[in-house]
Amino acid sequence: MTEYVKFLVYRYRPEDGKKGVYADYDVPVKKGMTVLDGLIYIKENLDPTLSVRFSCRMAICGSCGMRVNGLEMLACHTQILGLRRKHIIVEPMRNFPLLRDLVTDMTPLFMKQKALKTWLIRRDELEQENPTIQYLQSEEELGKYLQFTYCIQCGLCYSACPVVSTFPAFLGPQSLMKVYRYFADSRDEVGRERVSFVDKFEGVWRCHFAGSCSAVCPKGVDPALAIQLLRREALK
Ligand code: SF4
Ligand code: FES
């Protein structure tokens, strides 16, 4: 017998000029189906107006971040039967402007990263663009930042952060983590100036260490740790 799970999905249309509402849909569920599969089923069979963003369906692209039963998750990485509920509440991420239904505007995350120059920078730009030698690192050097490279920029940590909720100017866990990632990379030549980018009220000192960023990260990245390591560098 087919098992059904009721999806309560947050629906928001900016052109209506009203707050969003919850719409419910009965979704037939099979073993292995993800929340994203359920939303695609709704879109293809029950309501084609539902807006949801996704691409890879394998927890790589970072497009399908949302809240499922109140917790930040990747929809493509969350099995419906694994939730062990007959009702699933699906809502957009917090702390981002909402564009439509489950689709948020990720601009705040990307702008903060851009302002903090979260990419590898070397003094010799020509060499960086067209390297003439290999820039090898030891295992120990790699270990200093490896886990932070697993970030897929899904924004779930930013959505879960209680400080961003109350103080949107806070640079946020993901951007701060990225600053540490490049600070700790032996190939980067910005050096301690990177720490000065974040040694300020809206930077590392505003974190309350709630730890929700690290708790929700689907890739096992620990932004809260990176913020603590940056604080240690700032104190030095
Ligand atoms: S640190 Fe984790 S939760 Fe935050 S954006 Fe990167 S992958 Fe997503
Ligand atoms: S669709 Fe790419 S991470 Fe979910």
Side-chain angles (χ1 to χ4, degrees):
M1 205 174 73
T2 307
E3 185 173 349
Y4 281 82
V5 169
K6 194 174 282 298
F7 273 52
L8 289 165
V9 183
Y10 190 79
R11 304 298 310 268
Y12 168 72
R13 289 158 39 102
E15 61 270 31
D16 291 348
K18 291 190 261 179
K19 285 175 104 176
V21 293
Y22 291 86
D24 61 287
Y25 307 95
D26 291 315
V27 175
V29 174
K30 288 189 216 142
K31 192 169 175 229
M33 258 180 88
T34 64
V35 171
L36 180 61
D37 292 332
L39 294 170
I40 293 171
Y41 176 87
I42 293 168
K43 193 165 173 63
E44 290 181 344
N45 299 283
L46 305 175
D47 188 345
T49 68
L50 177 65
S51 292
V52 54
R53 180 168 52 211
F54 65 94
S55 179
C56 69
R57 301 193 191 187
M58 52 195 294
I60 297 288
C61 72
S63 305
C64 69
M66 54 191 72
R67 280 183 299 145
V68 180
N69 293 338
L71 283 177
E72 279 74 7
M73 300 183 190
L74 292 178
C76 72
H77 195 48
T78 305
Q79 302 242 336
I80 298 171
L81 294 178
L83 294 168
R84 299 178 193 282
R85 298 270 183 93
K86 286 287 170 206
H87 293 76
I88 297 179
I89 302 170
V90 187
E91 298 164 304
M93 286 193 289
R94 292 174 284 205
N95 300 338
F96 293 101
L98 184 55
L99 296 174
R100 177 178 288 268
D101 297 339
L102 301 170
V103 181
T104 48
D105 178 358
M106 305 294 282
T107 304
L109 189 84
F110 299 139
M111 291 311 288
K112 285 176 181 174
Q113 284 190 67
K114 193 173 173 195
L116 293 168
K117 300 188 181 171
T118 53
W119 54 87
L120 196 85
I121 299 177
R122 292 186 63 85
R123 280 190 281 276
D124 186 346
E125 281 181 30
L126 283 179
E127 173 67 11
Q128 184 166 355
E129 292 303 317
N130 297 292
T132 54
I133 56 168
Q134 288 189 62
Y135 291 85
L136 301 176
Q137 291 182 305
S138 65
E139 256 183 59
E140 194 189 341
E141 286 171 326
L142 180 65
K144 286 185 180 160
Y145 68 88
L146 181 62
Q147 69 140 308
F148 304 121
T149 66
Y150 298 144
C151 172
I152 55 171
Q153 310 201 81
C154 62
L156 292 178
C157 55
Y158 193 89
S159 169
C161 177
V163 180
V164 178
S165 292
T166 53
F167 183 63
F170 177 49
L171 292 170
Q174 195 266 355
S175 307
L176 292 170
M177 176 276 294
K178 283 274 186 174
V179 170
Y180 186 78
R181 179 253 176 275
Y182 288 103
F183 171 74
D185 190 326
S186 60
R187 297 165 301 175
D188 189 79
E189 293 185 326
V190 179
R192 299 204 66 79
E193 199 189 340
R194 287 212 184 265
V195 179
S196 70
F197 297 164
V198 298
D199 181 11
K200 50 189 173 185
F201 181 66
E202 65 272 28
V204 290
W205 304 112
R206 188 67 188 194
C207 171
H208 294 173
F209 203 39
S212 44
C213 52
S214 303
V216 302
C217 178
K219 305 306 281 189
V221 180
D222 189 350
L225 169 66
I227 295 171
Q228 297 308 305
L229 293 170
L230 278 174
R231 281 182 171 181
R232 186 176 69 180
E233 295 302 325
L235 284 171
K236 279 185 194 169

